[in-house]
Amino acid sequence: QVQLVESGGGLVQAGGSLTLSCTASGRASRVYAVGWFRQAPGKEREFLAVIGPGGEKTVIADHVKGRVTVSRQTSQNTVLVDLQMSGLKPEDTAVYYCAAAWNMVEVDDREYDYWGQGTQVTISS
């Protein structure tokens, strides 16, 4: 069992930067890859980035490449995964979710086993 909690959302002006954090806890959290997704109103959930269990492998979605980085820190039974975003645009407004996938870096949200509740990010123009 892995519990995920997102934090860091809020209101940001266009052009600004934001770091979202995902805290993953549970004995097995170390062996899970952690991904970030978002869902805007009326749109499907889309993949943003994922980082592998050891932090050595990352995948960034093409549509945010160059504006997004992902990093991971592990301590005992807790994993902290940060999603750093820059050059924010109004179309980045969405609910952002982190999720955990067993052992493998995945871009398909159907491969993820655990999800956080999400954090709202609103970009003002």
Side-chain angles (χ1 to χ4, degrees):
Q1 189 81 8
V2 177
Q3 296 80 40
L4 300 155
V5 178
E6 303 93 341
S7 61
L11 177 63
V12 181
Q13 284 192 331
S17 300
L18 188 68
T19 297
L20 301 179
S21 296
C22 175
T23 301
S25 58
R27 290 197 305 174
S29 59
R30 288 187 173 194
V31 297
Y32 278 79
V34 176
W36 281 96
F37 297 79
R38 69 185 180 189
Q39 188 165 21
K43 295 188 177 181
E44 292 189 354
R45 186 162 55 194
E46 62 178 354
F47 168 77
L48 297 173
V50 60
I51 186 164
E56 74 290 349
K57 183 175 181 179
T58 61
V59 177
I60 308 293
D62 287 344
H63 65 90
V64 292
K65 197 165 287 184
R67 298 198 296 125
V68 163
T69 60
V70 61
S71 60
R72 180 179 182 127
Q73 297 176 59
T74 300
S75 59
Q76 293 196 341
N77 293 328
T78 301
V79 174
L80 181 66
V81 176
D82 285 344
L83 182 76
Q84 296 176 308
M85 302 183 294
S86 61
L88 290 166
K89 310 171 185 178
E91 50 265 44
D92 291 318
T93 295
V95 178
Y96 285 69
Y97 299 90
C98 64
W102 172 258
N103 202 36
M104 298 291 289
V105 169
E106 302 283 356
V107 300
D108 186 338
D109 61 358
R110 294 171 297 181
E111 299 296 331
Y112 284 77
D113 305 297
Y114 301 99
W115 290 82
Q117 293 298 306
T119 185
Q120 176 70 46
V121 172
T122 303
I123 310 303
S124 63
S125 56

